[in-house]
Amino acid sequence: MKVPTRIMAVHCVVTFPDVVDIENAPGMRHALRGIIQAHGPTCHALIADLSASRFATATTLSVLVEARLLAQDCGMALYVVAPAPLTRKVFALTGLREVMPLYRSLDDIPLPEPQPQPD
């Protein structure tokens, strides 16, 4: 499955489809594993962009939980962009908001402070 991905500063942004369901979840999982393995050494965070989603299904949450664990193993954080109120509500009700920071837009995600270079 081809998943739109781009690098934004030190973050790897993955655009999710409007719905993650039983049909496309295996492809999303496979794509995310590859993206995390390829960009883990250079990206500080994986950003799951759910801007196209009006609601997060249980399958979406499952894919994100797995991606979070894989990202952590590679030293990456996982952030979620979720502007839709129902999507945000699902994260709050399930408690995932506590372990996956939610943002309303890509512009809201903080960039890490640049590290001083040794002389």
Side-chain angles (χ1 to χ4, degrees):
M1 175 176 199
K2 182 97 169 128
V3 178
T5 307
R6 66 184 184 278
I7 304 299
M8 185 181 90
V10 293
H11 300 319
C12 183
V13 181
V14 177
T15 302
F16 273 58
D18 58 342
V19 175
V20 177
D21 57 23
I22 197 161
E23 290 183 18
N24 63 4
M28 285 299 299
R29 284 186 169 96
H30 179 75
L32 287 167
R33 275 193 296 275
I35 291 163
I36 292 166
Q37 289 172 351
H39 298 288
T42 57
C43 288
H44 292 230
L46 176 69
I47 300 172
D49 186 357
L50 276 59
S51 295
S53 303
R54 290 180 293 139
F55 182 77
T57 65
T59 305
T60 304
L61 300 180
S62 172
V63 168
L64 287 171
V65 167
E66 182 179 324
R68 179 180 174 265
L69 295 174
L70 291 170
Q72 278 184 322
D73 288 346
C74 289
M76 298 171 77
L78 175 74
Y79 304 145
V80 178
V81 173
L86 286 176
T87 301
R88 297 176 72 77
K89 186 172 186 174
V90 168
F91 277 83
L93 290 172
T94 60
L96 287 176
R97 184 180 183 140
E98 303 302 318
V99 294
M100 293 181 200
L102 282 180
Y103 297 92
R104 292 186 192 277
S105 76
L106 286 171
D107 293 337
D108 294 340
I109 296 173
L111 293 175
E113 294 294 320
Q115 299 298 317
Q117 298 298 319
D119 292 330

